[in-house]
Structure formats: structure tokens, C-alpha cells
Amino acid sequence: MRGKAQTRRALRLVGVAGDRPLLPVIDLILRLLPFLVILAVVVLAAATPENVHVGPLLAVAPALSGLTQTAPRGPLITGGVAAVVSVALAALGQGRGGGEPYVTLVSVALVTTTAWLGVHVRMRQERTIEEVRSVAEAAQEVLLPQVPGTVGPLTVGVRYRAAAAEARIGGDLYEVVPTPFGIRVAIGDVRGKGLGAVRTAAAVLSAFREAAYEEPDLPGVARRLSASLERRLGENDEEFVTLILLGFPPEPACVDILNCGHPAPLLLRAAHAQALDPPTPTPPLGIVDLRRLDLPVLRVPLLPRDRLLLYTDGIIEARNPAGEFYPLPDRAPDSLPGVEDTLDRLEADVQRHVGRPLQDDAAMVLLEYTPMVARHDELRGARLSA
């Protein structure tokens, strides 16, 4: 249910939700357009002299029907109506002589047949696209399964938009898993797009899901991921992965952050955004073997209701028509109570800033730290107010 709600929210943002009142009106106008053309030809025939031939314009109607109708019978019905009107106009004397009525009928028949075939071809292509989309969605479910809304003391929200909109999958990756060592979170970005980036993202996620359960600290997880990616890439030096690993130990109330060349997460506290930069820079996975490096971990104490916003560069590198990057640190703080509401606002804000579809994969993961004591106080307050 949560996944469907997120889908509906995304549809509203891009303007294709079914509850938009203008869409049914526009659809009705498109369906009636061929018949309006026929009516316009009839009116034009009544307003012009008999020697002015307007009958051939009737062939426009089935052509439009082939573009606007969703079933093959649409062009046939429109073509039949256009043929009847053509015969009626000829019987009334409009365009009589010179074989013009026969030319009109032949034109209407040819265009109707072409439109009928075009609808069949389009329906076959739509079925193929739908099958590809279904496979892509299944692949996305495997690659990026739905993250639970609550994991231990964390309330989790996710937004993801692939640059390849039809495929709905790309090179960004994220995961939240509970482990014996606490909750582990990963977010990353594979250099490049397409199937190669998807395969690399899948390899990194698969390695993370294993290492997160087996390695007692974040540097151990990162080294496992680095070794796995080195085997995956081989001699391909052109590909690498920026990555952030987060660890929430059972005690104390804090988060450990290991950043491998990824944009720094934002700590949202009291309507302020603080970038949690790493103590020293660490290169992305695939650049060097991380097993040879001392990997610094940043530990940040957490307060109840603190939020951590993780994101990929598709968000902060989104440009408006003037070429200005999206100012995420300025736009991220807010007073909205829910994680989902906050992500809805940010996603809509990014889209307004850009003014067109995003050109890169973009992902956001918002984590709100709510320890059990705070949740218990909330529930008790809700019962008292009820």
C-alpha cells in the first residue's frame, strides 16, 4: 500500500494523476476531433459555391482518428462517417463533376485503411513497451526492494527517479538493513547510465547486503564492497561508484558515517541543515583498492527528531534554465511533520526548479531518528488527546 501511495504522489508531481480534472476533458476533445472536422467540412461545403471542392478534406478525419483513437474500430467508424458525408455532399451537388466524389471516396478509404493499420501497429508497440516496463519494474523490485517505513528507531522515506524514465531503473542505489551490529544504510551513485550502470549498482547492493551482516564496522563493509567491485569491473577503469555508508549502533544515540566520494549527507535539526563532511576525503569505489587505505569514520550524536537526508548528485546538480544548481541545503530544512510530506515537498521543489524532466538519476533517502522513549511519549499524548 505504501508503494502505491508513493506512485500516486509521483504521478501527481509529473501531472498525470487521474484526479486532474482537465485530463478527461482533453481526452474527450481528442476523441471528438475527427467528427468535428467532418462537421467543419459540412459547414464549409454549405458556405462555398458548388464548383469549390471541399470533399477531399474529409480524408483528414480518419487520419486524425488514427492518432487519437485507442481501438482499431475508431478509424473505421470515422472513415465510414466521412464516406457517407462525401456521398451526401455529392448528392446535394457540392463538388459534382470531374470525378471528384470518387476521388474523395478513394482518398477516405486509403486514409482509413492506413489509420486502421497504424492503430494496430501502435497497439503492438504499446504492448511491447508495457512488457518491457513490467520487466523493468520487476528488475527494480529485485535491485531496489521497497524500504520499510520504520526500521528500529528510524522512520524511513525514499524517493527515486531514473533518468531513463521508461525503464524506471538506473545507476543510483540505496538500501536500509537491520543487522546484528545495528542498522546499516547505503546510498550510492554509479558513474554512467544504462544497463552497465544498473549491473554495477546490482553488484554493489548484493555485496552490501552480505557485508552489512558480517562485518562489525563500516570500514570492513567498505573494503568488502571495494574488493567485490574490483572483481566486477576488472580492467574497466572508466567506472566507479560514489557511496555513503551509515551505521546506527544499538547504543549510544549516534550515527557513524563513512563517505567514499559521495555528496555529504545533511543533518536537519531545528530548521537548520548541516553538511556532515568526512574528516578526510576517501575516493569512490573502483578508483583505488580501499583495503590499502585507513578509512575515516565520522561519529555524530543524535537527538530525538533529528533527520538525515541522503541524496545523489542528480538532486544537487539539477539546473534551472539559468544554469543554477538546486540549492538543497537552503531548501531542505522545513517544519513539515512527516517524512513523506517532506520528500514530497522536496521532489516537487526540484521539479519546479528545473522546469523539465531531470537529466540524471536522482535519489533521496530521509531518515528520522525517533527513539522508543519519544515514540512512547507520542502515543501516550495521542491517547490523552483522544
Side-chain angles (χ1 to χ4, degrees):
M1 293 298 293
R2 182 169 172 267
K4 292 181 179 178
Q6 290 181 352
T7 300
R8 287 194 295 270
R9 279 191 292 270
L11 289 175
R12 286 198 294 271
L13 291 175
V14 298
V16 297
D19 58 354
R20 288 292 183 96
L22 289 179
L23 291 182
V25 176
I26 295 175
D27 184 64
L28 179 62
I29 292 175
L30 290 177
R31 290 178 181 274
L32 292 179
L33 186 59
F35 301 100
L36 294 177
V37 169
I38 294 175
L39 179 61
V41 171
V42 172
V43 173
L44 187 61
T48 56
E50 293 183 359
N51 61 342
V52 177
H53 302 171
V54 299
L57 296 177
L58 291 169
V60 175
L64 287 175
S65 183
L67 297 175
T68 61
Q69 301 296 321
T70 58
R73 66 177 179 273
L76 296 179
I77 294 173
T78 307
V81 173
V84 170
V85 171
S86 174
V87 172
L89 291 178
L92 294 174
Q94 211 285 332
R96 181 179 299 171
E100 187 272 339
Y102 303 105
V103 173
T104 298
L105 286 176
V106 171
S107 299
V108 169
L110 290 175
V111 173
T112 299
T113 303
T114 303
W116 177 76
L117 291 173
V119 172
H120 272 288
V121 171
R122 189 177 72 239
M123 289 178 63
R124 185 164 59 247
Q125 291 175 339
E126 288 175 351
R127 284 194 297 268
T128 301
I129 292 174
E130 188 60 33
E131 291 173 359
V132 171
R133 183 180 291 116
S134 299
V135 172
E137 289 176 346
Q140 186 182 33
E141 282 295 316
V142 175
L143 177 61
L144 298 174
Q146 187 172 323
V147 174
T150 303
V151 183
L154 299 179
T155 302
V156 184
V158 174
R159 290 294 181 275
Y160 180 68
R161 186 186 295 271
E166 289 298 330
R168 303 187 185 182
I169 53 179
D172 287 358
L173 58 100
Y174 56 83
E175 183 62 289
V176 180
V177 293
T179 74
F181 312 104
I183 301 170
R184 299 274 174 84
V185 181
I187 185 169
D189 185 2
V190 180
R191 180 187 182 275
K193 301 175 184 177
L195 291 178
V198 173
R199 285 193 291 265
T200 301
V204 172
L205 277 177
S206 177
F208 170 75
R209 287 162 184 156
E210 290 186 7
Y213 282 93
E214 298 174 0
E215 295 294 336
D217 56 25
L218 295 185
V221 176
R223 293 185 180 102
R224 285 273 296 272
L225 298 185
S226 176
S228 176
L229 190 62
E230 288 290 334
R231 292 192 297 269
R232 158 81 174 77
L233 297 179
E235 298 298 325
N236 183 5
D237 296 331
E238 306 250 341
E239 207 163 87
F240 59 86
V241 181
T242 65
L243 184 76
I244 283 183
L245 297 176
L246 269 63
F248 295 85
E251 295 293 341
C254 64
V255 58
D256 294 329
I257 304 173
L258 176 55
N259 191 334
C260 299
H262 197 80
L266 296 179
L267 173 63
L268 307 181
R269 175 184 292 171
H272 295 286
Q274 176 188 353
L276 301 177
D277 295 307
T280 56
T282 300
L285 305 182
I287 299 294
V288 297
D289 189 351
L290 297 187
R291 291 173 293 183
R292 304 174 183 175
L293 301 180
D294 183 21
L295 304 180
V297 176
L298 175 66
R299 172 160 288 194
V300 179
L302 293 177
L303 300 176
R305 298 299 172 197
D306 278 351
R307 292 179 175 181
L308 291 167
L309 178 60
L310 314 176
Y311 52 92
T312 58
D313 59 9
I315 297 293
I316 58 174
E317 293 182 0
R319 297 173 182 258
N320 63 10
E324 300 168 333
F325 291 116
Y326 179 70
L328 181 62
D330 298 332
R331 306 287 182 88
D334 62 56
S335 57
L336 295 179
V339 167
E340 296 293 338
D341 293 336
T342 300
L343 288 174
D344 283 344
R345 181 187 64 81
L346 284 173
E347 187 175 28
D349 196 40
V350 172
Q351 194 62 53
R352 282 193 300 270
H353 176 82
V354 176
R356 63 183 185 279
L358 297 181
Q359 302 301 304
D360 195 6
D361 300 329
M364 292 184 289
V365 178
L366 184 59
L367 310 168
E368 182 175 274
Y369 176 67
T370 311
M372 295 303 173
V373 174
R375 291 189 181 178
H376 177 72
D377 292 342
E378 273 190 2
L379 292 174
R380 184 174 61 183
R383 293 193 191 99
L384 290 176
S385 63

